[in-house]
Amino acid sequence: MARHDSILDTIGRTPTVRLARLAPAGVNVHVKLEAFNPMGSVKDRMALAVIEQAERSGALRPGQTVIEATSGNTGIGLAMVCARKGYPLVVTMAENFSLERRRLLRFLGARVVLTPASEKGSGMLAKAVELAEAHGYFLCRQFENAANPEVHSRTTAREILEDFEGMALHAWVTGFGTGGTLKGVAGTLKAADPATRVVVAEPDNAPLLGSGEAQPAGASHPRFRPHLMQGWSPDFVSPLTQQAVAAGLVDEVVPVAGEEALRLARELARQEGIFAGISGGATLAAALDVARRAPTGSHVVCMLPDTGERYQSTPLFDGIGEEMNDEELALSRSTPGYRFDRPAPMAAKAPAEAANDTEAERFVDACLAEAPVVMFGLAWCEFCWSARKLFTRLGIDYRSVDLDGAACQADDLGVRLRPVLARRTGAPTLPQIFIGGEPLGGCGELFEAWRDGSLGARLDACGVAYDGEAEIVPESLLPGWLHTRANMLENSLPITQS
């Protein structure tokens, strides 16, 4: 394994893999797996190139905020680059792109400004321009930035040529979004071998290139319609794409149906073990169409732009359930143990005759004296997480004592505290919450106290500040699997806390 000084050094050099089961007989279909880039997409290459070119030219100043309009992958790549280099990042994104993308961006430290879906890609680009001008941000301009195709000419295309050195490449197939991959790779492949066909795939219901109609200046293309392939074909033909077409780099445009893109993304996973997004399934659909018409022995290379992980809230995952289906339930019930359709064993109560632990008793007393709201819990426990979420949402200042935390490991203090708490509360479960030194109960009791108003009354009596106007459904703070388990038990059995 290579050693690197920066995550940015790991961008590129992605593998090309030959399909074993989906390709037509006698033709070699290869996929270039851009998900192997560190942030999971082909856009990592462009993100680094755009930032480094701006640094070299002086267009990007140290500490200046970077901004870009993106369907997600460019933004995620930029978030990685900006995090490593120390630039704040703002991303504008249409509201209809997958939720995972927003969360990934924010996790990486970016700010995400959503724009109305009705305004399409043009709207999120206009918002980025507006914000850049108003606040002095550096706008990446990925749809026209020359650094975008340049990096693909220098890296992506060269990798493909090296992978097929000594072999004729019948066709290279890609979608288009910014046009950077298309223009950069196509130009280099054509220079190396003019016989290599460049095939561009686009949504069949949005034939921006296939229609032959020109892109109107400053407006949506008249043939654009919303489609399933996120990152593909915005509502305009980008300047970089127009340049590739004008240069004669595109030999064929293949329309792809959204349902076919979904089907092939799923088949890639189930028959080839390759996890790609909807745009990857769409590009493969076009590549297989080309392969079925190719001479025997041909090599066709297909770009798979990203990973399927950022499509979980899209139609790609329709029918992929979180709960066990009938077949899985039957398999679970085929053996007697570890089943959710039976009561969980109740936690053993602390023996009444257990000797008092004076040191542990004093520790509990000291904790209760230090703060009016104290929770004794476990760092890993989902019920404890949910209680903490409610405290945070309400703005309650509280002390959390984690019995499994490092501070409670000396002399097995965490273990010794459990019988002390059980004697004081009458319950062996965790968390146990105290307000004003008096036990309230666990997570369930906390939620009920918020609903019936008694939590607020007890906090008021202790002088604890909180947001009394907050509108919170406490059950929404629980992890999804708890709802799943409750449904499987049909609300007939109690769900005990940890």
Side-chain angles (χ1 to χ4, degrees):
M1 297 293 289
R3 295 178 60 198
H4 300 282
D5 292 328
S6 167
I7 188 65
L8 306 182
D9 296 336
T10 69
I11 295 172
R13 298 176 295 279
T14 57
T16 300
V17 175
R18 184 177 64 84
L19 299 184
R21 302 177 65 186
L22 291 179
V27 176
N28 301 290
V29 177
H30 311 264
V31 292
K32 188 154 177 64
L33 299 176
E34 290 299 295
F36 276 64
N37 282 299
M39 284 295 110
S41 90
V42 66
K43 299 299 186 181
D44 290 0
R45 299 176 186 261
M46 181 265 288
L48 179 60
V50 165
I51 295 299
E52 290 191 336
Q53 172 57 31
E55 289 174 329
R56 287 192 295 269
S57 70
L60 176 59
R61 303 184 304 275
Q64 186 179 8
T65 295
V66 174
I67 188 169
E68 184 58 314
T70 168
S71 63
N73 283 333
T74 294
I76 292 166
L78 283 169
M80 168 189 62
V81 175
C82 289
R84 178 62 179 82
K85 288 178 169 285
Y87 299 107
L89 175 66
V90 174
V91 164
T92 60
M93 179 187 296
E95 63 182 336
N96 55 322
F97 292 119
S98 69
L99 302 180
E100 300 85 69
R101 298 173 187 232
R102 302 182 203 174
R103 299 187 74 185
L104 280 168
L105 284 161
R106 289 174 174 137
F107 189 86
L108 287 161
R111 288 173 285 170
V112 180
V113 176
L114 299 178
T115 59
S118 60
E119 298 300 319
K120 300 167 283 196
S122 297
M124 66 186 193
L125 178 55
K127 186 64 174 179
V129 172
E130 184 179 83
L131 289 170
E133 292 175 349
H135 300 287
Y137 298 159
F138 169 72
L139 180 61
C140 294
R141 300 186 184 276
Q142 61 173 322
F143 297 100
E144 58 191 76
N145 195 316
N148 184 352
E150 187 278 331
V151 73
H152 290 293
S153 176
R154 175 167 45 86
T155 66
T156 316
R158 295 296 171 190
E159 292 166 21
I160 293 171
L161 291 173
E162 290 172 6
D163 289 344
F164 292 90
E165 186 175 1
M167 293 183 279
L169 188 60
H170 174 72
W172 174 72
V173 186
T174 186
F176 75 93
T178 67
T181 305
L182 168 61
K183 181 183 178 184
V185 176
T188 301
L189 294 185
K190 286 283 193 183
D193 183 359
T196 298
R197 293 179 57 76
V198 172
V199 180
V200 175
E202 68 177 354
D204 64 350
N205 67 325
L208 276 62
L209 296 184
S211 68
E213 297 182 31
Q215 168 63 44
S220 292
H221 194 283
R223 298 303 297 273
F224 176 80
R225 299 294 183 274
H227 55 82
L228 287 170
M229 286 71 108
Q230 296 186 18
W232 253 28
S233 305
D235 63 308
F236 56 89
V237 181
S238 72
L240 294 176
T241 302
Q242 294 180 54
Q243 292 163 20
V245 173
L249 297 177
V250 178
D251 296 296
E252 183 181 359
V253 178
V254 175
V256 177
E259 287 300 320
E260 185 67 357
L262 297 176
R263 184 186 73 82
L264 280 171
R266 294 167 184 147
E267 290 302 303
L268 260 177
R270 293 169 182 175
Q271 295 199 48
E272 302 282 355
I274 295 173
F275 193 28
I278 302 174
S279 53
T283 313
L284 179 60
L288 293 178
D289 178 78
V290 171
R292 285 188 286 268
R293 297 182 274 116
T296 299
S298 295
H299 294 278
V300 176
V301 175
C302 164
M303 295 296 291
L304 296 187
D306 65 3
T307 170
E309 287 187 351
R310 56 199 55 165
Y311 293 85
Q312 294 188 49
S313 62
T314 75
L316 183 59
F317 277 75
D318 279 355
I320 307 298
E322 296 177 356
E323 300 183 17
M324 285 190 283
N325 59 29
D326 291 343
E327 181 183 1
E328 291 163 340
L329 279 170
L331 185 60
S332 171
R333 292 166 179 162
S334 67
T335 58
Y338 308 101
R339 286 162 48 173
F340 292 106
D341 56 347
R342 293 181 173 180
M346 296 299 290
K349 290 186 177 294
E353 64 276 11
N356 288 337
D357 186 330
T358 305
E359 183 183 1
E361 295 277 3
R362 283 200 299 264
F363 181 86
V364 171
D365 289 335
C367 292
L368 297 179
E370 288 174 5
V373 181
V374 179
M375 182 177 79
F376 295 89
L378 299 168
W380 62 266
C381 170
E382 291 90 344
F383 289 102
C384 298
W385 298 342
S386 301
R388 291 186 185 101
K389 288 180 185 177
L390 182 60
F391 287 143
T392 300
R393 292 278 294 275
L394 293 175
I396 295 173
D397 186 19
Y398 70 101
R399 175 172 181 188
S400 179
V401 181
D402 295 333
L403 275 61
D404 56 344
C408 287
Q409 297 310 301
D411 299 324
D412 284 333
L413 178 60
V415 175
R416 292 157 50 207
L417 288 174
R418 295 196 72 145
V420 172
L421 293 168
R423 282 193 292 270
R424 294 195 182 199
T425 64
T429 56
L430 292 172
Q432 287 299 333
I433 298 160
F434 291 76
I435 298 179
E438 297 297 322
L440 170 71
C443 182
E445 289 80 10
L446 176 66
F447 286 178
E448 183 59 33
W450 170 247
R451 277 192 296 265
D452 66 20
S454 61
L455 176 61
R458 293 182 67 166
L459 293 171
D460 289 336
C462 295
V464 176
Y466 66 98
D467 182 2
E469 302 300 318
E471 296 183 1
I472 302 171
V473 178
E475 285 72 22
S476 68
L477 306 178
L478 291 167
W481 72 265
L482 289 173
H483 298 294
T484 299
R485 185 175 175 192
N487 291 336
M488 294 180 66
L489 293 170
E490 298 178 348
N491 298 315
S492 62
L493 297 171
I495 305 295
T496 60
Q497 296 176 47
S498 300

